[in-house]
Amino acid sequence: MKKIVYLITFVILGVILQFLIHAIVEIWYINLLVQDFTKYGLGLNWKQWFMIHRLGSVVLLIIGMAFGFWQGKFWWYRIYEQGKY
């Protein structure tokens, strides 16, 4: 039970970290788009940018959850099974 809670909290941490990364990248790039859409828009319109945002959100969520799970397994093994810390 302790390991399950440990892994769940690491997955939540991964989701929080991906949310932070997502917010930073999105704020940065939206500022570029608002400043000069023709230069930074890459030939896409706003509808296409919203689709990229939705797809990117899902991909980042999956990556964040996978990273959290992987880190949870890594640190569980390192701390509790090897007893190094």
Side-chain angles (χ1 to χ4, degrees):
M1 183 66 181
K2 183 178 178 180
K3 184 175 182 178
I4 292 171
V5 172
Y6 193 83
L7 289 174
I8 289 171
T9 55
F10 261 93
V11 168
I12 292 170
L13 177 63
V15 169
I16 291 170
L17 288 175
Q18 74 80 26
F19 181 74
L20 180 64
I21 291 169
H22 183 171
I24 290 169
V25 169
E26 192 167 301
I27 289 169
W28 168 70
Y29 206 78
I30 287 176
N31 282 334
L32 290 177
L33 287 174
V34 169
Q35 287 175 6
D36 190 0
F37 188 80
T38 57
K39 181 177 179 182
Y40 297 108
L42 303 175
L44 304 172
N45 60 29
W46 279 108
K47 186 177 179 181
Q48 292 166 328
W49 276 110
F50 282 120
M51 180 62 78
I52 290 171
H53 169 16
R54 285 188 213 108
L55 181 64
S57 297
V58 172
V59 169
L60 279 173
L61 179 63
I62 292 169
I63 290 171
M65 291 173 72
F67 179 74
F69 184 75
W70 172 69
Q71 284 294 297
K73 287 185 69 149
F74 173 80
W75 289 107
W76 177 268
Y77 176 76
R78 186 93 182 221
I79 293 170
Y80 293 104
E81 291 179 12
Q82 283 185 339
K84 288 196 174 184
Y85 295 99

